[in-house]
Amino acid sequence: MSTIFERIISREIPADIVFENEELLAFRDASPQAPTHVLIVPKRVIARVDEAKPEDKELLGALLLGAAEVARKLGLNQNGYRLVINNGPFGGETVPHLHCHILGGRPLGWPPG
Ligand code: AMP
């Protein structure tokens, strides 16, 4: 069964897409937790970072570089921003398709809840 993110990647369901390249897609989170809240996902499915393999190293690097590129594109680099990857139930993961949250536009508290 495909995840909601695979259905966004295949354009089966709509999303507010802010960036795309051959291996990544970035779109606005449907339930934003900050003035800017974007998810960036690899098009090739890796369920979560815990399931990434050594052969995924390049894609994982691309994901982080892509996140920084999106943050710059949205002007978040001026004041700073946060990247978050939730892994498993205690990490708050709800969609089993690796994704990096890009959060910005307000000061973010630490530690997270
Ligand atoms: P996580 O809890 O880290 O797995 O993050 C999943 C994120 O996906 C949540 O922040 C949701 O708000 C977001 N989300 C779920 N469905 C959609 C959707 N159709 N379009 C955009 N964001 C979504």
Side-chain angles (χ1 to χ4, degrees):
M1 220 179 69
S2 62
T3 67
I4 192 120
F5 293 169
E6 283 176 271
R7 292 164 66 204
I8 288 174
I9 291 164
S10 66
R11 307 302 204 268
E12 229 178 287
I13 62 169
D16 186 354
I17 293 169
V18 297
F19 171 88
E20 180 169 25
N21 68 17
E22 211 174 290
E23 33 187 14
L24 305 168
L25 187 73
F27 50 91
R28 292 190 192 274
D29 196 293
S31 175
Q33 302 302 310
T36 301
H37 186 173
V38 166
L39 303 172
I40 183 162
V41 310
K43 291 181 178 175
R44 176 162 69 74
V45 182
I46 299 170
R48 61 193 56 82
V49 76
D50 185 56
E51 294 193 14
K53 306 271 185 298
E55 54 268 31
D56 298 322
K57 190 157 70 174
E58 208 170 307
L59 186 55
L60 295 181
L63 183 67
L64 278 186
L65 287 170
E69 187 175 340
V70 170
R72 274 194 304 276
K73 184 176 142 105
L74 299 177
L76 299 178
N77 58 318
Q78 304 208 338
N79 289 320
Y81 58 90
R82 183 170 296 165
L83 303 181
V84 173
I85 297 177
N86 295 325
N87 187 100
F90 276 21
E93 174 201 313
T94 58
V95 178
H97 180 143
L98 178 63
H99 51 283
C100 178
H101 297 255
I102 305 165
L103 295 144
R106 67 168 170 83
L108 298 164
W110 191 265

